[in-house]
Amino acid sequence: MCEIISTALAASGFAGGAAATGAAAGAATAGGLLQTAGLLLSVGGTVAQAVSANKAAKQTAAEIEVQRALEKRINATEDQRARLQFASQIATQRAELAARGVSPDSPTAILLGQTAARELSFQSQSIRSTGEATDRELSATARATRARGRRNLLTGSASAAGKFLTAAPEIWPDLLP
């Protein structure tokens, strides 16, 4: 940043060791110096803010990705537990039917087994669908957050360049053709 200010000061005609002739020339040089410094600070601040916003967006997206991975593990565990619970209930039902003397190949036992299997499949599918929806939502949120960070960086850079280009002719009139 100091190099940019020194270069800008040299371009504006201000030399640290040169003596200004007359109070008006000294005031104009000091005014030009302050104007140049103000411009450079404004441009630098805008760029720094844009970079900071981009870094914050990247960090937020990374945290969302961690949450996404955690949600996947939780969903898989929930599905596994539901399957184990259903398997236990089916085994209990089978034992109760056997205790009552119902044959495992009887139409009633087969119908109860098919119904339990359909319910198990439905519940497992429901759990997985919910998990996939959460995964898609978190993935989209992370992508949008990263895009917002890139947009902030581009907008900030363009704004800084605009400030610089707008103020340059006023500060350095020698640049005009």
Side-chain angles (χ1 to χ4, degrees):
M1 185 78 154
C2 291
E3 291 176 30
I4 294 171
I5 293 174
S6 322
T7 305
L9 294 177
S12 68
F14 183 79
T21 56
T29 304
L33 171 65
L34 291 175
Q35 193 174 13
T36 300
L39 171 65
L40 294 176
L41 288 174
S42 175
V43 167
T46 301
V47 170
Q49 183 180 13
V51 168
S52 177
N54 187 38
K55 281 183 180 180
K58 284 182 180 180
Q59 179 63 32
T60 301
E63 290 169 4
I64 291 170
E65 291 296 337
V66 168
Q67 178 67 28
R68 184 176 166 216
L70 177 63
E71 290 291 334
K72 279 184 177 182
R73 287 193 306 270
I74 289 171
N75 186 259
T77 301
E78 187 178 342
D79 185 36
Q80 183 182 15
R81 285 182 179 172
R83 288 177 174 275
L84 289 174
Q85 183 181 9
F86 257 99
S88 174
Q89 289 173 354
I90 290 171
T92 301
Q93 184 182 48
R94 196 173 333 133
E96 288 173 357
L97 289 173
R100 293 184 189 152
V102 177
S103 172
D105 60 348
S106 72
T108 302
I110 292 172
L111 179 65
L112 289 173
Q114 288 174 342
T115 303
R118 273 194 303 273
E119 286 299 316
L120 167 63
S121 176
F122 177 76
Q123 184 172 3
S124 178
Q125 197 171 30
S126 174
I127 290 169
R128 284 181 290 170
S129 293
T130 300
E132 288 171 5
T134 301
D135 184 59
R136 281 192 302 272
E137 180 182 346
L138 289 173
S139 179
T141 302
R143 276 193 312 272
T145 301
R146 283 190 292 272
R148 201 169 26 257
R150 287 189 300 270
R151 184 191 69 219
N152 287 340
L153 186 59
L154 290 172
T155 302
S157 298
S159 175
K163 286 180 183 180
F164 184 79
L165 293 174
T166 301
E170 293 175 17
I171 296 175
W172 303 295
D174 295 338
L175 296 177
L176 293 174

